[in-house]
């Protein structure tokens, strides 16, 4: 086991399935203590058991990221349980797709609340202890469509594009305190969500990807682990694109 993150403490939101779970397992395998957070407590026992194979001193917290009180409780729990927070990975997110002309206000508001406002609140809360420690890694999961746009996802693409700008601003505000803020922008990654695509839709997506295949959650997790490490200590305000060449910037 690599110990590049030995004794670091990481919060990973939405970490009981898909990309979030892969991130939690990857960071744990490198020595970090993980606080697994999700609104799916039924998945906690299995996820925690997998994470603890690498990092015994990890834990879980049931969180509703739309609730300010729930997020405050999460940070308080992490500080009391581990004594510090070194790494925050803002991964939790949802989609509520629909063409703009038919999109309901509540579908716009919910995506903004979970995919953007919760990240503002969580980041604001971890900044004080990170600034005091003069160390921190804030890593936000953006998306290729935050750069390209995507028909039927006005709410999601707007939130993800806003997240990139938010990350750059945070990076500028905290760089002098030894804290970095970066994004990872996945392209199409094979998860339960993409498994539901019909063959025609899958073929259309693959035709846009020069590498000819979807990525794996572990591809995203590797990028996050790099940004969380000391090897990325001079990188801030950046976005790592993990998309098989779908978008080249």
């Amino acid at each position: 086991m690599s110990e590049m993150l030995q004794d670091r403490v990481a919060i990973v939101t939405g970490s009981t399935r898909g990309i979030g779970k892969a991130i939690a397992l990857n960071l744990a395998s490198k020595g970090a203590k993980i606080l697994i957070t999700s609104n799916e407590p039924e998945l906690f026992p299995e996820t925690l058991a997998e994470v603890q194979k690498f990092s015994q001193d990890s834990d879980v917290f049931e969180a509703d990221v739309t609730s300010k009180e729930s997020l405050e409780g999460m940070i308080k729990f992490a500080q009391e349980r581990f004594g510090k927070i070194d790494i925050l990975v803002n991964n939790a997110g949802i989609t509520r797709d629909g063409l703009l002309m038919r999109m309901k206000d509540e579908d716009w508001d919910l995506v903004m609340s979970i995919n953007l406002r919760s990240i503002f609140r969580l980041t604001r809360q971890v900044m004080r202890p990170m600034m005091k420690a003069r160390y921190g890694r804030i890593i936000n999961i953006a998306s290729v469509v935050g750069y390209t746009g995507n028909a039927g996802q006005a709410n999601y693409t707007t939130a993800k594009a806003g997240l990139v700008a938010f990350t750059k601003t945070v990076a500028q505000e905290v760089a002098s305190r030894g804290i970095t803020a970066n994004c990872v922008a996945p392209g199409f990654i094979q998860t339960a969500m993409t498994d539901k695509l019909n063959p025609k839709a899958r073929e259309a997506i693959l035709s846009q990807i020069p590498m000819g295949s979807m990525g794996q959650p572990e591809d995203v997790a590797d990028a996050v682990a790099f940004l969380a490490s000391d090897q990325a200590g001079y990188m801030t305000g950046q976005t790592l694109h993990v998309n098989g060449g779908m978008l080249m910037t």
Side-chain angles (χ1 to χ4, degrees):
M1 181 187 78
S2 164
E3 296 188 348
M4 63 192 281
L5 297 175
Q6 193 65 39
D7 295 325
R8 296 295 187 198
V9 174
I11 296 175
V12 185
T13 65
S15 46
T16 49
R17 63 168 73 230
I19 290 171
K21 185 175 180 180
I23 291 168
L25 287 168
N26 192 312
L27 297 180
S29 75
K30 293 172 171 59
K33 300 170 186 176
I34 311 296
L35 182 61
I36 299 157
T37 78
S38 167
N39 64 348
E40 299 177 304
E42 66 276 10
L43 299 178
F44 280 160
E46 180 189 341
T47 306
L48 184 61
E50 289 183 53
V51 167
Q52 286 184 332
K53 287 177 186 175
F54 300 109
S55 178
Q56 188 63 38
D57 194 20
S58 292
D59 214 330
V60 297
F61 187 91
E62 183 180 355
D64 171 8
V65 297
T66 66
S67 162
K68 185 180 177 185
E69 291 72 27
S70 182
L71 295 180
E72 287 171 350
M74 181 207 300
I75 297 303
K76 186 179 180 198
F77 176 84
Q79 289 182 292
E80 290 175 353
R81 174 69 173 77
F82 300 107
K84 61 175 183 171
I85 301 165
D86 299 303
I87 301 159
L88 171 64
V89 183
N90 286 306
N91 166 76
I94 62 158
T95 57
R96 287 292 183 274
D97 296 349
L99 292 174
L100 183 61
M101 201 165 66
R102 300 192 197 110
M103 186 173 286
K104 298 172 183 173
D105 283 10
E106 49 266 37
D107 290 338
W108 176 275
D109 292 343
L110 186 61
V111 169
M112 289 300 163
S113 178
I114 291 174
N115 294 16
L116 197 54
R117 186 168 63 195
S118 70
I119 294 169
F120 151 67
R121 285 173 166 167
L122 264 180
T123 303
R124 182 176 59 183
Q125 287 183 59
V126 300
M127 279 172 72
R128 194 175 299 279
M130 284 183 175
M131 289 171 83
K132 194 173 177 184
R134 299 192 73 83
Y135 181 89
R137 298 281 186 268
I138 297 164
I139 303 161
N140 298 323
I141 306 303
S143 171
V144 63
V145 298
Y147 284 79
T148 63
N150 197 33
Q153 288 194 310
N155 46 8
Y156 184 80
T157 57
T158 300
K160 292 300 186 180
L163 182 55
V164 172
F166 172 79
T167 304
K168 291 176 181 179
T169 299
V170 171
Q172 290 180 28
E173 291 186 7
V174 299
S176 65
R177 301 299 184 96
I179 304 166
T180 64
N182 293 287
C183 289
V184 175
F188 282 94
I189 306 298
Q190 195 162 344
T191 62
M193 198 184 294
T194 56
D195 286 343
K196 293 174 186 170
L197 291 169
N198 64 53
K200 191 174 180 182
R202 178 179 290 272
E203 196 176 309
I205 288 167
L206 293 178
S207 70
Q208 301 173 52
I209 305 171
M211 293 188 82
S213 62
M214 290 193 186
Q216 297 300 313
E218 291 74 19
D219 295 322
V220 180
D222 283 337
V224 171
F226 168 67
L227 290 174
S229 74
D230 290 341
Q231 294 169 325
Y234 197 58
M235 286 181 65
T236 197
Q238 305 300 316
T239 299
L240 289 185
H241 293 270
V242 183
N243 60 38
M246 184 180 172
L247 172 72
M248 302 186 189
T249 61

